[in-house]
Amino acid sequence: MKISFIIGFVFLTISQFIFAQSGAVVLDFNHHQNNLLLGKLTQSATSVHTGFKPLVVQQLDSLSTDSVLYKASTDKLLPRSWYKSWFWRKLRYEDFATATTEKYNIRVNPLLRYEIGTEKVLNEKLLINTRGVKVDGSIGSKFAFSTSFYENQATYPQYIDTFAYQFGVIPGQGSPKLFGAQGHDFSRAEGYISFAPYKWLSLQLGQGRNFIGEGYRSMILSDNTFPYPYLRFNLGSGKWQLQALYTEFTDFLDKSKEGRVWHYSYHYKRHASMTYLSYKPTTKLELGLFEGIMWLTTDTAKSIYNKIPPSFFSPIPLLRTLNYGLQEDQNVLLGLQGKYSPFRNLNIY
């Protein structure tokens, strides 16, 4: 049995919780924050479709995310002089720097994380050190944007080390470089621009991750991946909603290993297009139909791209499956999912 002790200091500003009135803002939350939000949506018995995440502000039916994700009562455990100080306000409530007018709103925040500990069985030091910056904001009520960059050094427990050395990637982070005797050095950049001209239509172009399904992981599309470029649109409101996603994934096929160092001669690209049609006849029930295709656009022998067919961009569910079938070179995935909320504190999916 492996026992680890961790002491961590995490300085992440609250800016990701506080939003302007722009309906185009994308709620790029982590799983804990999403659970808080989804719990409030269930208790409120709203008509919001939750099968495709991240959600966009315009989908929330005017629900305030601030009151959901942050409870001021937690500060009552601290001395009053502490949680009223400038440092604590910047850490918990306020943006580090802002520029706000009637036409636009820009926020800049540092992203810092530091954890240090020891794995008792092997007597190994564990470390996570992250530095980054995030800039986001909105222009008017229909445009929003966000960009962030993270630089990391980490020394992980043995089971993560084993995975990284075997496959040449940090789970959910991508390809690392060596850091010290046993550590990993890796970075990540994410961002998006979003446009929501109407309540029933929004479009996003970005570099990030998406999630289709319910729960912590999904058999349809999980977010335990390295950020990838994508184009996404959301169409519909009320009982029906259609979402389409067009992406380009990276596949580390052509690689070699010398000791603990991986070498990559070529990063193959895997193009995918997905549609998700959801139907919510009542506030308690949501049904979803998923179609995803991983296109054969890379020639692994010659390292070149084949042409992307026009049907790649089709937003009509099942049209591509009817056209190509299940036995062609394209990798087709079909899925159904449902979520039922019999009570305001229970979801079954």
Side-chain angles (χ1 to χ4, degrees):
M1 180 179 180
K2 298 178 180 179
I3 303 176
S4 300
F5 293 96
I6 296 288
I7 299 176
F9 299 92
V10 181
F11 296 90
L12 300 178
T13 61
I14 204 69
S15 65
Q16 56 184 327
F17 300 164
I18 303 175
F19 298 97
Q21 297 301 312
S22 174
V25 171
V26 177
L27 305 177
D28 51 346
F29 294 157
N30 60 34
H31 283 282
H32 172 68
Q33 297 158 1
N34 267 322
N35 286 339
L36 293 175
L37 178 59
L38 297 178
K40 184 63 175 180
L41 291 173
T42 301
Q43 294 171 11
S44 303
T46 67
S47 59
V48 177
H49 297 240
T50 62
F52 198 127
K53 293 175 276 288
L55 299 177
V56 182
V57 166
Q58 67 166 193
Q59 299 176 256
L60 296 186
D61 292 339
S62 300
L63 176 69
S64 171
T65 58
D66 297 356
S67 60
V68 174
L69 299 176
Y70 177 76
K71 297 180 180 179
S73 59
T74 58
D75 284 350
K76 299 301 177 61
L77 302 175
L78 302 172
R80 182 179 180 86
S81 60
W82 188 343
Y83 71 79
K84 292 295 184 180
S85 66
W86 176 90
F87 173 80
W88 194 254
R89 285 188 290 107
K90 291 298 181 180
L91 179 67
R92 296 283 279 167
Y93 315 113
E94 301 176 1
D95 298 294
F96 184 78
T98 62
T100 303
T101 70
E102 294 181 355
K103 296 182 178 180
Y104 65 84
N105 181 17
I106 301 175
R107 300 173 292 272
V108 181
N109 288 284
L111 302 168
L112 305 173
R113 176 186 182 188
Y114 188 78
E115 294 184 7
I116 187 171
T118 300
E119 188 176 57
K120 297 295 290 183
V121 174
L122 300 177
N123 195 28
E124 292 182 346
K125 293 183 179 179
L126 306 178
L127 170 71
I128 298 178
N129 180 13
T130 300
R131 295 90 56 211
V133 63
K134 182 175 183 180
V135 180
D136 59 352
S138 58
I139 303 174
S141 61
K142 299 180 180 180
F143 288 93
F145 64 90
S146 176
T147 181
S148 59
F149 178 79
Y150 306 80
E151 176 65 26
N152 312 271
Q153 284 85 40
T155 303
Y156 288 117
Q158 188 179 36
Y159 71 97
I160 299 182
D161 272 348
T162 301
F163 183 96
Y165 296 145
Q166 180 180 356
F167 297 102
V169 295
I170 301 294
Q173 297 292 337
S175 176
K177 298 183 296 183
L178 293 182
F179 170 66
Q182 298 292 331
H184 307 273
D185 187 304
F186 52 96
S187 60
R188 185 175 86 246
E190 300 183 43
Y192 71 82
I193 54 175
S194 178
F195 177 49
Y198 308 103
K199 185 176 181 180
W200 47 269
L201 175 65
S202 68
L203 301 96
Q204 290 83 41
L205 176 66
Q207 169 93 1
R209 293 178 274 206
N210 295 270
F211 187 96
I212 302 178
E214 301 288 348
Y216 192 78
R217 289 286 176 245
S218 174
M219 296 179 65
I220 299 177
L221 179 64
S222 177
D223 58 356
N224 188 31
T225 64
F226 190 68
Y228 48 83
Y230 68 88
L231 172 65
R232 171 188 170 190
F233 78 80
N234 171 33
L235 176 66
S237 62
K239 296 182 178 181
W240 292 94
Q241 192 170 89
L242 174 65
Q243 304 206 49
L245 180 69
Y246 309 99
T247 72
E248 181 185 78
F249 299 117
T250 300
D251 194 343
F252 298 157
L253 281 179
D254 196 355
K255 59 186 178 181
S256 59
K257 187 177 181 182
E258 296 179 9
R260 297 174 58 241
V261 181
W262 281 98
H263 300 283
Y264 304 91
S265 60
Y266 185 76
H267 288 178
Y268 293 97
K269 304 300 181 182
R270 305 295 187 185
H271 296 85
S273 50
M274 309 175 190
T275 56
Y276 184 74
L277 177 65
S278 56
Y279 174 58
K280 195 165 186 177
T282 71
T283 58
K284 295 179 177 293
L285 178 65
E286 180 178 338
L287 303 173
L289 170 65
F290 170 82
E291 178 197 45
I293 294 186
M294 191 75 71
W295 297 86
L296 184 63
T297 55
T298 303
D299 187 332
T300 57
K302 298 181 180 180
S303 302
I304 61 174
Y305 287 100
N306 298 321
K307 292 182 179 180
I308 296 177
S311 55
F312 173 88
F313 298 99
S314 171
I316 303 175
L318 301 182
L319 179 62
R320 290 176 291 239
T321 301
L322 293 175
N323 184 24
Y324 291 97
L326 299 177
Q327 304 299 323
E328 290 288 332
D329 293 333
Q330 321 304 334
N331 187 4
V332 178
L333 177 66
L334 301 176
L336 293 171
Q337 89 161 0
K339 185 181 74 171
Y340 181 60
S341 306
F343 312 107
R344 291 194 173 185
N345 59 351
L346 176 65
N347 285 329
I348 302 172
Y349 60 88

